[in-house]
Amino acid sequence: MLFPTATFAIFFLIVLPLSWLTMPWPHRWRPFIIVASYVFYSWWDWRFVLLLAGCTLWNQILAVRIWRSRVPSQRKALLVLALAGNLGVLGYFKYYDFFVSSTDNLASTVGLDMPLGLKSIVLPVGISFFTFMAISYVVDAYRGDFEPTTLEKFAVYLSFFPHLVAGPIVRPSELIPQIDTPRNPRRVDTSRAFYLIATGLFKKVVIANYLASSIVDEVFAAPGQHSSLEILIAVYAYAVQIYADFSGYTDIAIGIALLLGFTFPQNFDSPYAAVSVQDFWRRWHMTLSRWLRDYVYIPLGGNRGGTILTYRNLLLTMLIGGLWHGAAWTFVVWGGLHGIALVGERWRADRRGLPASAPTGWGRWRARVITFHFVCLAWIFFRADSFGAAWDMIEGLFTGWGEASPLVTSGVLLAILVGIGSQYLPARFPRVVMARFSRLPVLGQATVLALSLMLTSVMGPEGVAPFIYFQF
């Protein structure tokens, strides 16, 4: 069920009042919100609700057993079993065809015939997100960081519809305690919620959809038919599109959760204002960055094993992060490029013998420009359907200057400028807007919201494309 649709609006107008009406009675509210979340998830294909329910039951049983066990070997075996179940499900649905085709191609290069059949498996929406949240739950129980809760509360945590299909990736300690906390609808930060929803809708429906339909999809589909200028602008446009699309989704999700009385962690913080690749990952998909750090990088050894092992761990973490995004070698290369950049930045800091420090003055702007263009280069592999298409894009950047560029319009350039320029607004800007909005009378707030929705509807292309991160 897509957020920017009339279907979801009707769904939420039913769920919101019923949620607050039942919230004083937790034994009524929890089943209600689980059912509502399952309806939300089943709108595309009801059969995948069984997968979500099975994942919930599997991880709850093993997390409780891990917590109660006092035998280290048994606890470790239970953890391995839980991880094997989660990664096995993720691997089957997301990576089966990828590994089969890769194995078949490798076998063919050495003259072996391995008749492994592809299954064209349908990928359940959001499986990567709720699988990672489930892994957090069992690993935190194993580490003793979080005591497993009841099955009902865990089901709310895993299926809560605002974050279910595209994040943010919320930790057990961030959401489950809120389920037990009494909430007052009069204390909801509605100004922030409406601001996030309105800006999120604008970013998705207007900026992201417009850039996709106006230049990105056409150029990436056939780069050889376009000029170097169109390819360059398409790369910039995709950088803005994926930011506006994904941050727009999480802004809406955080705003919806706020209206329901829950607080989610921030997921984006002006990533294209980053001064290094490390800084970029502190600002981009922040909940995934934290997850990779705490559940991949640190278990691999982090920076505890010396310089070489630290570099290895950085590279492996980013390769895994790349593969998490999609079952294709282009995603692995994307993750590898970021891993190499992180290793390079760490090596440079180690060589100087000083901790990395943020540049100042003109050096800060130079670092921002370099970082942004590196990120854009990596986005080519992320967006391209194949290595061939990625190389065609890169080659086209140098071989087609002077040709006509009809896709480079003032509207496209303006959308790119707004998408990037908005990240350089003062940090106080949203707070000032929200404060002024909150001081308006109810009728004034309703008028402002109606006008913003009308503007978004008029400016956006016809129809709403699925969010990019639904495929992950």
Side-chain angles (χ1 to χ4, degrees), residues 257-320:
L258 273 174
L259 292 179
L260 291 166
F262 292 86
T263 302
F264 285 174
Q266 185 180 1
N267 209 29
F268 289 88
D269 182 18
S270 303
Y272 293 146
V275 295
S276 65
V277 177
Q278 183 183 42
D279 188 31
F280 173 80
W281 281 102
R282 290 171 179 159
R283 298 164 175 263
W284 175 273
H285 202 351
M286 296 155 66
T287 55
L288 174 64
S289 300
R290 290 186 305 141
W291 197 97
L292 290 172
R293 179 196 65 198
D294 295 343
Y295 299 100
V296 178
Y297 178 69
I298 291 176
L300 284 172
N303 55 6
R304 301 188 302 274
T307 301
I308 300 300
L309 289 181
T310 297
Y311 297 165
R312 181 207 67 178
N313 296 338
L314 281 170
L315 187 58
L316 284 176
T317 299
M318 295 313 300
L319 287 172
I320 292 171

Side-chain angles (χ1 to χ4, degrees), residues 64-292:
V64 170
R65 291 196 61 186
I66 289 170
W67 182 265
R68 292 177 178 174
S69 175
R70 292 295 176 264
V71 181
S73 60
Q74 185 184 53
R75 297 180 77 248
K76 191 170 185 178
L78 290 169
L79 175 65
V80 170
L81 183 62
L83 294 177
N86 286 303
L87 297 177
V89 169
L90 186 61
Y92 175 76
F93 281 101
K94 192 167 183 177
Y95 302 107
Y96 176 85
D97 284 348
F98 168 66
F99 285 124
V100 165
S101 61
S102 298
T103 303
D104 184 60
N105 291 336
L106 180 62
S108 297
T109 59
V110 296
L112 296 177
D113 183 19
M114 299 179 66
L116 300 173
L118 299 178
K119 295 187 177 182
S120 299
I121 298 168
V122 177
L123 180 67
V125 174
I127 187 172
S128 297
F129 288 91
F130 66 73
T131 299
F132 270 26
M133 289 179 61
I135 289 174
S136 298
Y137 186 69
V138 293
V139 171
D140 286 357
Y142 174 79
R143 292 173 174 174
D145 295 337
F146 190 84
E147 181 178 0
T149 186
T150 64
L151 175 61
E152 194 176 51
K153 293 177 186 177
F154 177 58
V156 173
Y157 162 74
L158 204 61
S159 67
F160 194 38
F161 70 87
H163 70 64
L164 178 56
V165 294
I169 301 173
V170 187
R171 302 287 185 86
S173 59
E174 292 172 330
L175 181 55
I176 292 178
Q178 294 187 61
I179 297 173
D180 293 321
T181 304
R183 286 170 296 282
N184 185 344
R186 299 180 184 278
R187 294 183 178 273
V188 171
D189 190 355
T190 54
S191 297
R192 180 167 181 257
F194 289 136
Y195 175 84
L196 288 170
I197 292 171
T199 55
L201 285 170
F202 185 85
K203 284 193 285 187
K204 166 58 180 173
V205 176
V206 178
I207 301 294
N209 286 5
Y210 174 74
L211 289 174
S213 60
S214 297
I215 189 169
V216 173
D217 292 346
E218 188 172 340
V219 172
F220 273 88
Q225 300 176 16
H226 297 277
S227 69
S228 293
L229 180 61
E230 284 180 331
I231 292 174
L232 178 64
I233 298 302
V235 173
Y236 292 152
Y238 181 68
V240 174
Q241 179 202 347
I242 192 170
Y243 165 75
D245 189 285
F246 192 24
S247 70
Y249 180 92
T250 52
D251 283 351
I252 298 169
I254 293 169
I256 288 170
L258 273 174
L259 292 179
L260 291 166
F262 292 86
T263 302
F264 285 174
Q266 185 180 1
N267 209 29
F268 289 88
D269 182 18
S270 303
Y272 293 146
V275 295
S276 65
V277 177
Q278 183 183 42
D279 188 31
F280 173 80
W281 281 102
R282 290 171 179 159
R283 298 164 175 263
W284 175 273
H285 202 351
M286 296 155 66
T287 55
L288 174 64
S289 300
R290 290 186 305 141
W291 197 97
L292 290 172

Side-chain angles (χ1 to χ4, degrees), residues 459-472:
M459 294 183 65
E462 186 176 351
V464 179
F467 289 90
I468 292 173
Y469 266 68
F470 276 18
Q471 64 185 298
F472 306 138

